[in-house]
Amino acid sequence: MGAALTRYRVIAWIVGVVLIVLVVIGMPLKYAFDNPVVVETVGPAHGFLYMIYLVAAFDLSRRADWPLKRMLLVMLAGTVPFVSFYVERWVTAWLDRPTARTPEPVAG
């Protein structure tokens, strides 16, 4: 599951950065200064990268055996600026934490 987590983490950061560029730079340029070049360039790139993000999140969720609700919430994180960073950290912490199970004593 380590490779799936790494793939998810990388694409989550990429999607997050591209979405921030789109919203913080592209949208003001388009609507305030009538210059849509960033939106026309970064918008389709974000859409393509978001599809890759969905595949990576789905792959990780199946390997981690997440319930459907958790999987959908992680998938939606790529649509809100800054949320993909928070969710990526949450997912990493959740998957890296040790299990609460204690080893059974050895009979002998």
Side-chain angles (χ1 to χ4, degrees):
M1 183 171 22
L5 178 60
T6 301
R7 284 189 299 269
Y8 167 76
R9 292 183 71 190
V10 168
I11 195 65
W13 272 88
I14 292 170
V15 166
V17 169
V18 171
L19 183 58
I20 289 171
V21 168
L22 181 64
V23 171
V24 173
I25 297 171
M27 297 301 247
L29 279 175
K30 179 178 180 178
Y31 293 109
F33 301 104
D34 198 31
N35 185 355
V37 69
V38 175
V39 171
E40 291 173 351
T41 306
V42 177
H46 173 68
F48 178 74
L49 291 167
Y50 183 68
M51 289 187 285
I52 296 171
Y53 173 84
L54 291 176
V55 170
F58 178 78
D59 179 47
L60 182 62
S61 70
R62 293 298 92 204
R63 292 174 192 264
D65 198 29
W66 289 346
L68 180 63
K69 182 179 178 182
R70 180 178 298 153
M71 179 183 70
L72 292 175
L73 289 174
V74 170
M75 288 178 162
L76 286 173
T79 63
V80 182
F82 300 102
V83 174
S84 67
F85 303 120
Y86 173 76
V87 171
E88 180 270 325
R89 296 305 304 157
W90 177 80
V91 165
T92 301
W94 187 78
L95 291 176
D96 283 345
R97 72 177 177 202
T99 58
R101 293 179 26 194
T102 57
E104 295 183 23
V106 177

